[in-house]
Amino acid sequence: MNKMNKKGLLLVISGPSGVGKGTVLAKYKENAPQMKMSVSATTRNPRPGEEHGREYYFVTKEQFEKAAVSGEMLEYASYSGNFYGTPKKAVYDKLNEGFDVVLEIEIQGAMQIKNKCPEAVLIFILPPSYEELENRLLKRQTETPEAVEKRMETAKKELLAARNYDYVIVNDDIEKAAEKLNYIIEGARCLSSQNQNILESIEKSIK
Ligand code: 5GP
């Protein structure tokens, strides 16, 4: 634990493909050295430029199943035909050292975290509108029209789950969205549940 003897915050961030989660997080991270991104395990193949241990731990289906069965995953889910999961130990170690930990995960995993870790703060990044999300995906031009359609189908399901999150941030402007994320995190740091140590020490001193 750090010198304040205070645990970090567990943050879960979700949002549909093309909403700009990664960009908002990167912007927020510029001024937040105490934030650590959790590195997930996945059975999907690395994309060009991705590195084992940096973006993901790229593992086989057998390795993933073994880790999941032996309880090494804090949550896991199947998404687009592959498995994705959060290694438990790394997350708890970082939280205990006082770092905030961000899980950028899809909705099934986020709901598992909500059940298992009630102290986690769940944030959903929304597009300004459904049409705008479609435009952004089409503009990327990295996907075929069929792939865009498939992503939009998935996005529909994801957007309908946004109500289950604690906070929603509309990403109509990256700077503003990152600022809102900062306010949410600052607010969460002031939760009484996050400040048990100081509360206990004050309570002791007045007894
Ligand atoms: P991609 O293959 O594009 O990197 O990720 C696909 C989806 O899986 C994204 O929505 C991403 O947030 C999610 N994801 C990444 N890591 C995890 C994880 O550890 N657990 C879960 N449940 N979802 C994850």
Side-chain angles (χ1 to χ4, degrees):
M1 283 233 203
N2 67 3
K3 60 182 185 304
M4 300 283 292
N5 209 27
K6 193 173 168 183
K7 261 179 83 171
L9 282 173
L10 180 58
L11 300 155
V12 175
I13 303 208
S14 305
S17 171
V19 81
K21 298 172 283 217
T23 327
V24 173
L25 271 171
K27 187 88 222 153
Y28 168 75
K29 225 179 153 212
E30 284 174 11
N31 298 311
Q34 76 287 11
M35 189 192 94
K36 302 277 178 203
M37 295 292 296
S38 157
V39 180
S40 298
T42 182
T43 58
R44 86 151 160 75
N45 291 324
R47 294 184 187 131
E50 286 184 336
E51 249 177 51
H52 181 76
R54 192 180 64 191
E55 280 79 14
Y56 284 105
Y57 295 106
F58 296 99
V59 298
T60 63
K61 203 162 170 253
E62 290 68 36
Q63 288 170 322
F64 193 99
E65 276 166 359
K66 206 171 148 216
V69 168
S70 57
E72 289 168 36
M73 298 290 184
L74 188 54
E75 61 73 36
Y76 64 93
S78 163
Y79 183 92
S80 276
N82 287 299
F83 287 108
Y84 294 83
T86 304
K88 185 166 25 185
K89 187 177 180 301
V91 171
Y92 284 132
D93 285 352
K94 285 183 196 129
L95 289 174
N96 287 331
E97 284 165 30
F99 292 107
D100 297 336
V101 179
V102 173
L103 313 183
E104 189 194 325
I105 61 177
E106 52 70 66
I107 57 174
Q108 304 166 71
M111 292 306 109
Q112 293 171 39
I113 298 288
K114 187 174 168 152
N115 287 331
K116 272 195 199 166
C117 315
E119 75 287 1
V121 179
L122 275 69
I123 304 164
F124 195 95
I125 313 281
L126 285 171
S129 68
Y130 183 68
E131 289 73 26
E132 174 62 23
L133 184 68
E134 198 165 27
N135 286 340
R136 286 186 197 176
L137 279 177
L138 285 168
K139 255 195 238 152
R140 263 194 193 175
Q141 289 187 333
T142 48
E143 258 91 31
T144 61
E146 293 75 37
V148 170
E149 207 172 298
K150 203 167 159 231
R151 281 177 184 244
M152 288 308 293
E153 279 310 308
T154 311
K156 274 186 204 169
K157 281 187 211 135
E158 291 172 332
L159 291 168
L160 291 172
R163 280 184 182 278
N164 300 321
Y165 285 65
D166 300 310
Y167 295 95
V168 293
I169 296 177
V170 176
N171 184 21
D172 44 8
D173 175 293
I174 291 156
E175 298 271 345
K176 280 190 197 146
E179 202 181 351
K180 284 179 188 161
L181 181 58
N182 184 40
Y183 292 149
I184 291 171
I185 294 172
E186 285 300 322
R189 287 210 185 98
C190 297
L191 287 166
S192 54
S193 55
Q194 276 295 120
N195 289 279
Q196 288 307 309
N197 292 339
I198 176 87
L199 288 171
E200 276 164 23
S201 107
I202 289 186
E203 282 159 6
K204 253 190 221 155
S205 66
I206 55 178
K207 265 176 203 157

